[in-house]
Amino acid sequence: MRTAEADDLLARLKDVGLRATTQRRVIVEALLAQGDHITAEELTEIVKARYPEVHLATVYRTLEVLESLGALYRLSLGHEPTQWHLTERAHQHLVCDVCGRVQEVSDPAFARLAASLMKAHGFHPDLRHVALRGRCSGCASG
Amino acid sequence: MRTAEADDLLARLKDVGLRATTQRRVIVEALLAQGDHITAEELTEIVKARYPEVHLATVYRTLEVLESLGALYRLSLGHEPTQWHLTERAHQHLVCDVCGRVQEVSDPAFARLAASLMKAHGFHPDLRHVALRGRCSGCASG
DNA sequence: GTAATTGCAAAGCTTTTGCAATTTA
DNA sequence: TAAATTGCAAAAGCTTTGCAATTAC
């Protein structure tokens, strides 16, 4: 299950002085192989198939590290345990109605919105086409 | 701090066979008086100023009841305790790129998105003007 | 009067953390 | 070899729940 994506993520770990351990590789590969979202416990179960000694705490710590890298984000709605998602790289646009400034952002919040809409309404938004109107930081405070 | 909004919420409780207790009134009024979001613990502190004996567990139960009414929704990102928000009644539009159907929805997920964007980018989206493109439930499954 | 609700205390669950042993670079 | 990481166990923190007493309708 070794992939270029997994190698890339592990390389990014090394870039910031962290280490590419066997556990982290297995966890990363499981994350990439898995679909849309997963909990720490589910991920641990999957990882244990290949690396039985891995501990839930290690999974939590690895998820945290990957989050700090921006590779993952967490989503916890309601009562259930936190769901972890791979950060998508799609871009969205924030258009200021006052000054006209257009901000290009890539924010996990949009993926969260998409997930909610799919669940609640069965609607699959196309996040490549999102442009929100509003007021930018400068114009909102003035 | 009695307001028409508070009366309305308590009336909605009664409509479903629940009771309008003093505790619930005080909690609801504190929620409405307060700004954007609040945690159960913060809310309890505020409520205690008027009703010292109120218990955190009662606040949690009341929040849950109001959530079931759709008056509130919870947002828990990251490590902090859950933030509770009043559900906004703004409408958004979901436009199907395949069949052209337009769905009008009022979904707390949009308010969550707005909160995230404000925090991350200082951008204040105007949720009255949101229209998302994508595929509706029928066209997405086909 | 009956059913819902409350306060309290205790339990539940997810997530985090201290530490000694191990492993990576 | 020095610093990072792991497994384990224990703790932490938020939230929920059982129960007897109280309160709303």
PDB file of all heavy atoms in Angstrom, chain C residues 7-21:
ATOM      1  P    DG C   7     -31.565  22.470  38.961  1.00  0.00           P
ATOM      2  OP1  DG C   7     -31.680  23.867  39.426  1.00  0.00           O
ATOM      3  OP2  DG C   7     -30.894  22.153  37.692  1.00  0.00           O
ATOM      4  O5'  DG C   7     -30.894  21.584  40.096  1.00  0.00           O
ATOM      5  C5'  DG C   7     -31.467  21.550  41.393  1.00  0.00           C
ATOM      6  C4'  DG C   7     -30.739  20.524  42.241  1.00  0.00           C
ATOM      7  O4'  DG C   7     -31.065  19.191  41.749  1.00  0.00           O
ATOM      8  C3'  DG C   7     -29.221  20.625  42.230  1.00  0.00           C
ATOM      9  O3'  DG C   7     -28.770  20.500  43.572  1.00  0.00           O
ATOM     10  C2'  DG C   7     -28.770  19.461  41.357  1.00  0.00           C
ATOM     11  C1'  DG C   7     -29.888  18.454  41.530  1.00  0.00           C
ATOM     12  N9   DG C   7     -30.175  17.609  40.370  1.00  0.00           N
ATOM     13  C8   DG C   7     -30.171  18.000  39.056  1.00  0.00           C
ATOM     14  N7   DG C   7     -30.506  17.031  38.228  1.00  0.00           N
ATOM     15  C5   DG C   7     -30.736  15.938  39.053  1.00  0.00           C
ATOM     16  C6   DG C   7     -31.129  14.608  38.721  1.00  0.00           C
ATOM     17  O6   DG C   7     -31.351  14.134  37.614  1.00  0.00           O
ATOM     18  N1   DG C   7     -31.259  13.816  39.859  1.00  0.00           N
ATOM     19  C2   DG C   7     -31.037  14.247  41.146  1.00  0.00           C
ATOM     20  N2   DG C   7     -31.208  13.341  42.102  1.00  0.00           N
ATOM     21  N3   DG C   7     -30.675  15.487  41.463  1.00  0.00           N
ATOM     22  C4   DG C   7     -30.543  16.280  40.371  1.00  0.00           C
ATOM     23  P    DC C   8     -27.317  20.846  43.993  1.00  0.00           P
ATOM     24  OP1  DC C   8     -27.378  21.433  45.342  1.00  0.00           O
ATOM     25  OP2  DC C   8     -26.672  21.572  42.885  1.00  0.00           O
ATOM     26  O5'  DC C   8     -26.665  19.400  44.108  1.00  0.00           O
ATOM     27  C5'  DC C   8     -27.290  18.432  44.963  1.00  0.00           C
ATOM     28  C4'  DC C   8     -26.810  17.045  44.606  1.00  0.00           C
ATOM     29  O4'  DC C   8     -27.407  16.604  43.375  1.00  0.00           O
ATOM     30  C3'  DC C   8     -25.301  16.928  44.405  1.00  0.00           C
ATOM     31  O3'  DC C   8     -24.753  16.229  45.517  1.00  0.00           O
ATOM     32  C2'  DC C   8     -25.139  16.166  43.100  1.00  0.00           C
ATOM     33  C1'  DC C   8     -26.545  15.622  42.848  1.00  0.00           C
ATOM     34  N1   DC C   8     -26.879  15.467  41.414  1.00  0.00           N
ATOM     35  C2   DC C   8     -27.428  14.253  40.978  1.00  0.00           C
ATOM     36  O2   DC C   8     -27.630  13.353  41.797  1.00  0.00           O
ATOM     37  N3   DC C   8     -27.732  14.107  39.660  1.00  0.00           N
ATOM     38  C4   DC C   8     -27.503  15.112  38.811  1.00  0.00           C
ATOM     39  N4   DC C   8     -27.821  14.921  37.535  1.00  0.00           N
ATOM     40  C5   DC C   8     -26.935  16.354  39.236  1.00  0.00           C
ATOM     41  C6   DC C   8     -26.642  16.496  40.542  1.00  0.00           C
ATOM     42  P    DA C   9     -23.159  16.048  45.634  1.00  0.00           P
ATOM     43  OP1  DA C   9     -22.811  16.138  47.057  1.00  0.00           O
ATOM     44  OP2  DA C   9     -22.496  16.914  44.638  1.00  0.00           O
ATOM     45  O5'  DA C   9     -22.996  14.545  45.160  1.00  0.00           O
ATOM     46  C5'  DA C   9     -24.028  13.603  45.444  1.00  0.00           C
ATOM     47  C4'  DA C   9     -23.719  12.332  44.689  1.00  0.00           C
ATOM     48  O4'  DA C   9     -24.229  12.440  43.334  1.00  0.00           O
ATOM     49  C3'  DA C   9     -22.219  12.063  44.568  1.00  0.00           C
ATOM     50  O3'  DA C   9     -21.969  10.693  44.786  1.00  0.00           O
ATOM     51  C2'  DA C   9     -21.886  12.504  43.155  1.00  0.00           C
ATOM     52  C1'  DA C   9     -23.184  12.206  42.405  1.00  0.00           C
ATOM     53  N9   DA C   9     -23.399  13.066  41.241  1.00  0.00           N
ATOM     54  C8   DA C   9     -23.036  14.384  41.096  1.00  0.00           C
ATOM     55  N7   DA C   9     -23.357  14.901  39.932  1.00  0.00           N
ATOM     56  C5   DA C   9     -23.973  13.850  39.268  1.00  0.00           C
ATOM     57  C6   DA C   9     -24.552  13.751  37.984  1.00  0.00           C
ATOM     58  N6   DA C   9     -24.590  14.748  37.106  1.00  0.00           N
ATOM     59  N1   DA C   9     -25.089  12.561  37.635  1.00  0.00           N
ATOM     60  C2   DA C   9     -25.044  11.544  38.519  1.00  0.00           C
ATOM     61  N3   DA C   9     -24.535  11.520  39.751  1.00  0.00           N
ATOM     62  C4   DA C   9     -24.011  12.715  40.062  1.00  0.00           C
ATOM     63  P    DA C  10     -20.477  10.120  44.678  1.00  0.00           P
ATOM     64  OP1  DA C  10     -20.216   9.355  45.906  1.00  0.00           O
ATOM     65  OP2  DA C  10     -19.561  11.206  44.261  1.00  0.00           O
ATOM     66  O5'  DA C  10     -20.624   9.101  43.464  1.00  0.00           O
ATOM     67  C5'  DA C  10     -21.887   8.478  43.231  1.00  0.00           C
ATOM     68  C4'  DA C  10     -21.894   7.897  41.838  1.00  0.00           C
ATOM     69  O4'  DA C  10     -22.208   8.944  40.878  1.00  0.00           O
ATOM     70  C3'  DA C  10     -20.541   7.320  41.426  1.00  0.00           C
ATOM     71  O3'  DA C  10     -20.752   6.081  40.808  1.00  0.00           O
ATOM     72  C2'  DA C  10     -19.979   8.361  40.476  1.00  0.00           C
ATOM     73  C1'  DA C  10     -21.253   8.903  39.828  1.00  0.00           C
ATOM     74  N9   DA C  10     -21.124  10.241  39.257  1.00  0.00           N
ATOM     75  C8   DA C  10     -20.504  11.328  39.803  1.00  0.00           C
ATOM     76  N7   DA C  10     -20.551  12.409  39.059  1.00  0.00           N
ATOM     77  C5   DA C  10     -21.258  11.993  37.944  1.00  0.00           C
ATOM     78  C6   DA C  10     -21.657  12.681  36.773  1.00  0.00           C
ATOM     79  N6   DA C  10     -21.374  13.955  36.525  1.00  0.00           N
ATOM     80  N1   DA C  10     -22.356  11.981  35.858  1.00  0.00           N
ATOM     81  C2   DA C  10     -22.647  10.687  36.097  1.00  0.00           C
ATOM     82  N3   DA C  10     -22.327   9.942  37.159  1.00  0.00           N
ATOM     83  C4   DA C  10     -21.631  10.669  38.053  1.00  0.00           C
ATOM     84  P    DA C  11     -19.513   5.210  40.299  1.00  0.00           P
ATOM     85  OP1  DA C  11     -19.691   3.854  40.839  1.00  0.00           O
ATOM     86  OP2  DA C  11     -18.259   5.961  40.521  1.00  0.00           O
ATOM     87  O5'  DA C  11     -19.784   5.149  38.735  1.00  0.00           O
ATOM     88  C5'  DA C  11     -21.136   4.963  38.303  1.00  0.00           C
ATOM     89  C4'  DA C  11     -21.230   5.287  36.832  1.00  0.00           C
ATOM     90  O4'  DA C  11     -21.062   6.707  36.642  1.00  0.00           O
ATOM     91  C3'  DA C  11     -20.181   4.592  35.979  1.00  0.00           C
ATOM     92  O3'  DA C  11     -20.865   4.011  34.890  1.00  0.00           O
ATOM     93  C2'  DA C  11     -19.234   5.719  35.569  1.00  0.00           C
ATOM     94  C1'  DA C  11     -20.173   6.920  35.560  1.00  0.00           C
ATOM     95  N9   DA C  11     -19.553   8.236  35.770  1.00  0.00           N
ATOM     96  C8   DA C  11     -18.747   8.624  36.802  1.00  0.00           C
ATOM     97  N7   DA C  11     -18.374   9.884  36.736  1.00  0.00           N
ATOM     98  C5   DA C  11     -18.980  10.358  35.579  1.00  0.00           C
ATOM     99  C6   DA C  11     -18.982  11.615  34.946  1.00  0.00           C
ATOM    100  N6   DA C  11     -18.325  12.680  35.419  1.00  0.00           N
ATOM    101  N1   DA C  11     -19.700  11.745  33.815  1.00  0.00           N
ATOM    102  C2   DA C  11     -20.354  10.679  33.343  1.00  0.00           C
ATOM    103  N3   DA C  11     -20.436   9.443  33.846  1.00  0.00           N
ATOM    104  C4   DA C  11     -19.716   9.344  34.983  1.00  0.00           C
ATOM    105  P    DG C  12     -20.065   3.092  33.857  1.00  0.00           P
ATOM    106  OP1  DG C  12     -20.949   1.944  33.546  1.00  0.00           O
ATOM    107  OP2  DG C  12     -18.683   2.883  34.359  1.00  0.00           O
ATOM    108  O5'  DG C  12     -19.987   4.010  32.563  1.00  0.00           O
ATOM    109  C5'  DG C  12     -20.923   5.054  32.379  1.00  0.00           C
ATOM    110  C4'  DG C  12     -20.719   5.611  30.990  1.00  0.00           C
ATOM    111  O4'  DG C  12     -20.189   6.949  31.113  1.00  0.00           O
ATOM    112  C3'  DG C  12     -19.709   4.827  30.166  1.00  0.00           C
ATOM    113  O3'  DG C  12     -20.173   4.826  28.821  1.00  0.00           O
ATOM    114  C2'  DG C  12     -18.406   5.592  30.361  1.00  0.00           C
ATOM    115  C1'  DG C  12     -18.882   7.028  30.585  1.00  0.00           C
ATOM    116  N9   DG C  12     -18.083   7.810  31.529  1.00  0.00           N
ATOM    117  C8   DG C  12     -17.523   7.374  32.709  1.00  0.00           C
ATOM    118  N7   DG C  12     -16.873   8.315  33.346  1.00  0.00           N
ATOM    119  C5   DG C  12     -17.006   9.443  32.557  1.00  0.00           C
ATOM    120  C6   DG C  12     -16.519  10.767  32.728  1.00  0.00           C
ATOM    121  O6   DG C  12     -15.848  11.216  33.658  1.00  0.00           O
ATOM    122  N1   DG C  12     -16.888  11.601  31.673  1.00  0.00           N
ATOM    123  C2   DG C  12     -17.635  11.205  30.593  1.00  0.00           C
ATOM    124  N2   DG C  12     -17.875  12.122  29.679  1.00  0.00           N
ATOM    125  N3   DG C  12     -18.098   9.970  30.420  1.00  0.00           N
ATOM    126  C4   DG C  12     -17.752   9.143  31.425  1.00  0.00           C
ATOM    127  P    DC C  13     -19.558   3.823  27.754  1.00  0.00           P
ATOM    128  OP1  DC C  13     -20.701   3.223  27.047  1.00  0.00           O
ATOM    129  OP2  DC C  13     -18.516   2.979  28.390  1.00  0.00           O
ATOM    130  O5'  DC C  13     -18.838   4.827  26.768  1.00  0.00           O
ATOM    131  C5'  DC C  13     -18.727   6.173  27.188  1.00  0.00           C
ATOM    132  C4'  DC C  13     -18.133   7.008  26.101  1.00  0.00           C
ATOM    133  O4'  DC C  13     -17.511   8.101  26.778  1.00  0.00           O
ATOM    134  C3'  DC C  13     -17.022   6.308  25.316  1.00  0.00           C
ATOM    135  O3'  DC C  13     -16.972   6.832  24.014  1.00  0.00           O
ATOM    136  C2'  DC C  13     -15.785   6.620  26.125  1.00  0.00           C
ATOM    137  C1'  DC C  13     -16.096   8.001  26.709  1.00  0.00           C
ATOM    138  N1   DC C  13     -15.532   8.161  28.077  1.00  0.00           N
ATOM    139  C2   DC C  13     -15.158   9.439  28.499  1.00  0.00           C
ATOM    140  O2   DC C  13     -15.352  10.381  27.725  1.00  0.00           O
ATOM    141  N3   DC C  13     -14.610   9.594  29.717  1.00  0.00           N
ATOM    142  C4   DC C  13     -14.427   8.543  30.519  1.00  0.00           C
ATOM    143  N4   DC C  13     -13.873   8.743  31.708  1.00  0.00           N
ATOM    144  C5   DC C  13     -14.803   7.229  30.104  1.00  0.00           C
ATOM    145  C6   DC C  13     -15.359   7.092  28.883  1.00  0.00           C
ATOM    146  P    DT C  14     -15.992   6.256  22.906  1.00  0.00           P
ATOM    147  OP1  DT C  14     -16.782   6.054  21.687  1.00  0.00           O
ATOM    148  OP2  DT C  14     -15.188   5.162  23.480  1.00  0.00           O
ATOM    149  O5'  DT C  14     -15.052   7.523  22.689  1.00  0.00           O
ATOM    150  C5'  DT C  14     -15.665   8.739  22.332  1.00  0.00           C
ATOM    151  C4'  DT C  14     -14.722   9.879  22.578  1.00  0.00           C
ATOM    152  O4'  DT C  14     -14.326   9.906  23.956  1.00  0.00           O
ATOM    153  C3'  DT C  14     -13.422   9.817  21.762  1.00  0.00           C
ATOM    154  O3'  DT C  14     -13.275  11.080  21.149  1.00  0.00           O
ATOM    155  C2'  DT C  14     -12.348   9.500  22.792  1.00  0.00           C
ATOM    156  C1'  DT C  14     -12.932  10.111  24.055  1.00  0.00           C
ATOM    157  N1   DT C  14     -12.477   9.508  25.331  1.00  0.00           N
ATOM    158  C2   DT C  14     -11.976  10.335  26.314  1.00  0.00           C
ATOM    159  O2   DT C  14     -11.873  11.534  26.186  1.00  0.00           O
ATOM    160  N3   DT C  14     -11.604   9.692  27.465  1.00  0.00           N
ATOM    161  C4   DT C  14     -11.675   8.346  27.734  1.00  0.00           C
ATOM    162  O4   DT C  14     -11.304   7.908  28.819  1.00  0.00           O
ATOM    163  C5   DT C  14     -12.210   7.538  26.664  1.00  0.00           C
ATOM    164  C7   DT C  14     -12.327   6.060  26.850  1.00  0.00           C
ATOM    165  C6   DT C  14     -12.585   8.147  25.527  1.00  0.00           C
ATOM    166  P    DT C  15     -12.082  11.322  20.144  1.00  0.00           P
ATOM    167  OP1  DT C  15     -12.497  12.453  19.316  1.00  0.00           O
ATOM    168  OP2  DT C  15     -11.675  10.041  19.537  1.00  0.00           O
ATOM    169  O5'  DT C  15     -10.927  11.827  21.110  1.00  0.00           O
ATOM    170  C5'  DT C  15     -11.123  13.059  21.792  1.00  0.00           C
ATOM    171  C4'  DT C  15      -9.974  13.322  22.734  1.00  0.00           C
ATOM    172  O4'  DT C  15      -9.948  12.320  23.766  1.00  0.00           O
ATOM    173  C3'  DT C  15      -8.584  13.290  22.079  1.00  0.00           C
ATOM    174  O3'  DT C  15      -8.037  14.581  22.236  1.00  0.00           O
ATOM    175  C2'  DT C  15      -7.824  12.219  22.837  1.00  0.00           C
ATOM    176  C1'  DT C  15      -8.598  12.124  24.141  1.00  0.00           C
ATOM    177  N1   DT C  15      -8.551  10.833  24.858  1.00  0.00           N
ATOM    178  C2   DT C  15      -8.117  10.831  26.164  1.00  0.00           C
ATOM    179  O2   DT C  15      -7.756  11.835  26.750  1.00  0.00           O
ATOM    180  N3   DT C  15      -8.120   9.599  26.769  1.00  0.00           N
ATOM    181  C4   DT C  15      -8.503   8.392  26.210  1.00  0.00           C
ATOM    182  O4   DT C  15      -8.461   7.353  26.865  1.00  0.00           O
ATOM    183  C5   DT C  15      -8.947   8.469  24.837  1.00  0.00           C
ATOM    184  C7   DT C  15      -9.390   7.209  24.133  1.00  0.00           C
ATOM    185  C6   DT C  15      -8.953   9.673  24.234  1.00  0.00           C
ATOM    186  P    DT C  16      -6.557  14.896  21.848  1.00  0.00           P
ATOM    187  OP1  DT C  16      -6.549  16.299  21.421  1.00  0.00           O
ATOM    188  OP2  DT C  16      -6.047  13.833  20.969  1.00  0.00           O
ATOM    189  O5'  DT C  16      -5.805  14.815  23.247  1.00  0.00           O
ATOM    190  C5'  DT C  16      -6.309  15.570  24.325  1.00  0.00           C
ATOM    191  C4'  DT C  16      -5.447  15.359  25.555  1.00  0.00           C
ATOM    192  O4'  DT C  16      -5.581  14.000  26.028  1.00  0.00           O
ATOM    193  C3'  DT C  16      -3.951  15.598  25.333  1.00  0.00           C
ATOM    194  O3'  DT C  16      -3.525  16.437  26.389  1.00  0.00           O
ATOM    195  C2'  DT C  16      -3.340  14.200  25.413  1.00  0.00           C
ATOM    196  C1'  DT C  16      -4.299  13.491  26.352  1.00  0.00           C
ATOM    197  N1   DT C  16      -4.431  12.025  26.208  1.00  0.00           N
ATOM    198  C2   DT C  16      -4.275  11.250  27.331  1.00  0.00           C
ATOM    199  O2   DT C  16      -4.005  11.704  28.425  1.00  0.00           O
ATOM    200  N3   DT C  16      -4.458   9.902  27.125  1.00  0.00           N
ATOM    201  C4   DT C  16      -4.776   9.272  25.932  1.00  0.00           C
ATOM    202  O4   DT C  16      -4.912   8.056  25.893  1.00  0.00           O
ATOM    203  C5   DT C  16      -4.911  10.148  24.801  1.00  0.00           C
ATOM    204  C7   DT C  16      -5.243   9.567  23.458  1.00  0.00           C
ATOM    205  C6   DT C  16      -4.741  11.467  24.983  1.00  0.00           C
ATOM    206  P    DT C  17      -2.042  16.966  26.412  1.00  0.00           P
ATOM    207  OP1  DT C  17      -2.114  18.317  26.981  1.00  0.00           O
ATOM    208  OP2  DT C  17      -1.421  16.711  25.110  1.00  0.00           O
ATOM    209  O5'  DT C  17      -1.338  16.014  27.489  1.00  0.00           O
ATOM    210  C5'  DT C  17      -1.976  15.804  28.725  1.00  0.00           C
ATOM    211  C4'  DT C  17      -1.088  14.954  29.631  1.00  0.00           C
ATOM    212  O4'  DT C  17      -1.338  13.553  29.377  1.00  0.00           O
ATOM    213  C3'  DT C  17       0.420  15.156  29.428  1.00  0.00           C
ATOM    214  O3'  DT C  17       1.036  15.067  30.702  1.00  0.00           O
ATOM    215  C2'  DT C  17       0.819  13.971  28.559  1.00  0.00           C
ATOM    216  C1'  DT C  17      -0.117  12.902  29.099  1.00  0.00           C
ATOM    217  N1   DT C  17      -0.450  11.793  28.172  1.00  0.00           N
ATOM    218  C2   DT C  17      -0.643  10.546  28.710  1.00  0.00           C
ATOM    219  O2   DT C  17      -0.525  10.312  29.893  1.00  0.00           O
ATOM    220  N3   DT C  17      -0.970   9.577  27.796  1.00  0.00           N
ATOM    221  C4   DT C  17      -1.127   9.731  26.437  1.00  0.00           C
ATOM    222  O4   DT C  17      -1.428   8.791  25.736  1.00  0.00           O
ATOM    223  C5   DT C  17      -0.915  11.069  25.939  1.00  0.00           C
ATOM    224  C7   DT C  17      -1.046  11.349  24.492  1.00  0.00           C
ATOM    225  C6   DT C  17      -0.591  12.027  26.829  1.00  0.00           C
ATOM    226  P    DG C  18       2.483  15.675  30.934  1.00  0.00           P
ATOM    227  OP1  DG C  18       2.282  16.935  31.671  1.00  0.00           O
ATOM    228  OP2  DG C  18       3.225  15.682  29.662  1.00  0.00           O
ATOM    229  O5'  DG C  18       3.130  14.612  31.907  1.00  0.00           O
ATOM    230  C5'  DG C  18       2.335  14.017  32.952  1.00  0.00           C
ATOM    231  C4'  DG C  18       3.085  12.851  33.564  1.00  0.00           C
ATOM    232  O4'  DG C  18       2.777  11.632  32.839  1.00  0.00           O
ATOM    233  C3'  DG C  18       4.602  12.970  33.531  1.00  0.00           C
ATOM    234  O3'  DG C  18       5.134  12.313  34.685  1.00  0.00           O
ATOM    235  C2'  DG C  18       4.986  12.245  32.250  1.00  0.00           C
ATOM    236  C1'  DG C  18       3.940  11.149  32.175  1.00  0.00           C
ATOM    237  N9   DG C  18       3.512  10.788  30.822  1.00  0.00           N
ATOM    238  C8   DG C  18       3.320  11.643  29.762  1.00  0.00           C
ATOM    239  N7   DG C  18       2.909  11.030  28.680  1.00  0.00           N
ATOM    240  C5   DG C  18       2.817   9.690  29.051  1.00  0.00           C
ATOM    241  C6   DG C  18       2.426   8.553  28.304  1.00  0.00           C
ATOM    242  O6   DG C  18       2.052   8.497  27.128  1.00  0.00           O
ATOM    243  N1   DG C  18       2.489   7.387  29.072  1.00  0.00           N
ATOM    244  C2   DG C  18       2.874   7.328  30.382  1.00  0.00           C
ATOM    245  N2   DG C  18       2.875   6.135  30.947  1.00  0.00           N
ATOM    246  N3   DG C  18       3.238   8.389  31.088  1.00  0.00           N
ATOM    247  C4   DG C  18       3.192   9.529  30.363  1.00  0.00           C
ATOM    248  P    DC C  19       6.693  12.309  34.984  1.00  0.00           P
ATOM    249  OP1  DC C  19       6.822  12.256  36.444  1.00  0.00           O
ATOM    250  OP2  DC C  19       7.359  13.377  34.193  1.00  0.00           O
ATOM    251  O5'  DC C  19       7.139  10.899  34.393  1.00  0.00           O
ATOM    252  C5'  DC C  19       6.401   9.731  34.751  1.00  0.00           C
ATOM    253  C4'  DC C  19       7.064   8.501  34.159  1.00  0.00           C
ATOM    254  O4'  DC C  19       6.471   8.207  32.883  1.00  0.00           O
ATOM    255  C3'  DC C  19       8.570   8.672  33.901  1.00  0.00           C
ATOM    256  O3'  DC C  19       9.240   7.481  34.249  1.00  0.00           O
ATOM    257  C2'  DC C  19       8.641   8.926  32.412  1.00  0.00           C
ATOM    258  C1'  DC C  19       7.490   8.055  31.918  1.00  0.00           C
ATOM    259  N1   DC C  19       6.943   8.441  30.607  1.00  0.00           N
ATOM    260  C2   DC C  19       6.374   7.455  29.786  1.00  0.00           C
ATOM    261  O2   DC C  19       6.342   6.295  30.197  1.00  0.00           O
ATOM    262  N3   DC C  19       5.887   7.807  28.572  1.00  0.00           N
ATOM    263  C4   DC C  19       5.954   9.078  28.175  1.00  0.00           C
ATOM    264  N4   DC C  19       5.456   9.386  26.967  1.00  0.00           N
ATOM    265  C5   DC C  19       6.523  10.104  28.993  1.00  0.00           C
ATOM    266  C6   DC C  19       7.006   9.746  30.195  1.00  0.00           C
ATOM    267  P    DA C  20      10.840   7.507  34.531  1.00  0.00           P
ATOM    268  OP1  DA C  20      11.003   7.696  35.984  1.00  0.00           O
ATOM    269  OP2  DA C  20      11.524   8.407  33.582  1.00  0.00           O
ATOM    270  O5'  DA C  20      11.232   6.019  34.162  1.00  0.00           O
ATOM    271  C5'  DA C  20      10.308   4.950  34.433  1.00  0.00           C
ATOM    272  C4'  DA C  20      10.426   3.913  33.322  1.00  0.00           C
ATOM    273  O4'  DA C  20       9.815   4.441  32.114  1.00  0.00           O
ATOM    274  C3'  DA C  20      11.868   3.574  32.954  1.00  0.00           C
ATOM    275  O3'  DA C  20      11.956   2.179  32.713  1.00  0.00           O
ATOM    276  C2'  DA C  20      12.128   4.405  31.708  1.00  0.00           C
ATOM    277  C1'  DA C  20      10.748   4.430  31.051  1.00  0.00           C
ATOM    278  N9   DA C  20      10.499   5.607  30.223  1.00  0.00           N
ATOM    279  C8   DA C  20      10.892   6.894  30.459  1.00  0.00           C
ATOM    280  N7   DA C  20      10.508   7.752  29.529  1.00  0.00           N
ATOM    281  C5   DA C  20       9.809   6.974  28.627  1.00  0.00           C
ATOM    282  C6   DA C  20       9.148   7.277  27.428  1.00  0.00           C
ATOM    283  N6   DA C  20       9.078   8.516  26.920  1.00  0.00           N
ATOM    284  N1   DA C  20       8.552   6.262  26.775  1.00  0.00           N
ATOM    285  C2   DA C  20       8.620   5.031  27.298  1.00  0.00           C
ATOM    286  N3   DA C  20       9.205   4.614  28.417  1.00  0.00           N
ATOM    287  C4   DA C  20       9.790   5.649  29.043  1.00  0.00           C
ATOM    288  P    DA C  21      13.307   1.553  32.051  1.00  0.00           P
ATOM    289  OP1  DA C  21      13.513   0.220  32.676  1.00  0.00           O
ATOM    290  OP2  DA C  21      14.375   2.571  32.054  1.00  0.00           O
ATOM    291  O5'  DA C  21      12.855   1.297  30.551  1.00  0.00           O
ATOM    292  C5'  DA C  21      11.717   0.461  30.308  1.00  0.00           C
ATOM    293  C4'  DA C  21      11.574   0.262  28.807  1.00  0.00           C
ATOM    294  O4'  DA C  21      11.250   1.534  28.194  1.00  0.00           O
ATOM    295  C3'  DA C  21      12.842  -0.238  28.124  1.00  0.00           C
ATOM    296  O3'  DA C  21      12.470  -1.177  27.126  1.00  0.00           O
ATOM    297  C2'  DA C  21      13.443   1.024  27.534  1.00  0.00           C
ATOM    298  C1'  DA C  21      12.193   1.819  27.168  1.00  0.00           C
ATOM    299  N9   DA C  21      12.383   3.267  27.150  1.00  0.00           N
ATOM    300  C8   DA C  21      13.044   4.047  28.057  1.00  0.00           C
ATOM    301  N7   DA C  21      13.042   5.331  27.770  1.00  0.00           N
ATOM    302  C5   DA C  21      12.312   5.400  26.592  1.00  0.00           C
ATOM    303  C6   DA C  21      11.945   6.485  25.781  1.00  0.00           C
ATOM    304  N6   DA C  21      12.276   7.752  26.041  1.00  0.00           N
ATOM    305  N1   DA C  21      11.226   6.205  24.669  1.00  0.00           N
ATOM    306  C2   DA C  21      10.888   4.935  24.414  1.00  0.00           C
ATOM    307  N3   DA C  21      11.178   3.834  25.108  1.00  0.00           N
ATOM    308  C4   DA C  21      11.902   4.139  26.205  1.00  0.00           C
TER     309       DA C  21
END
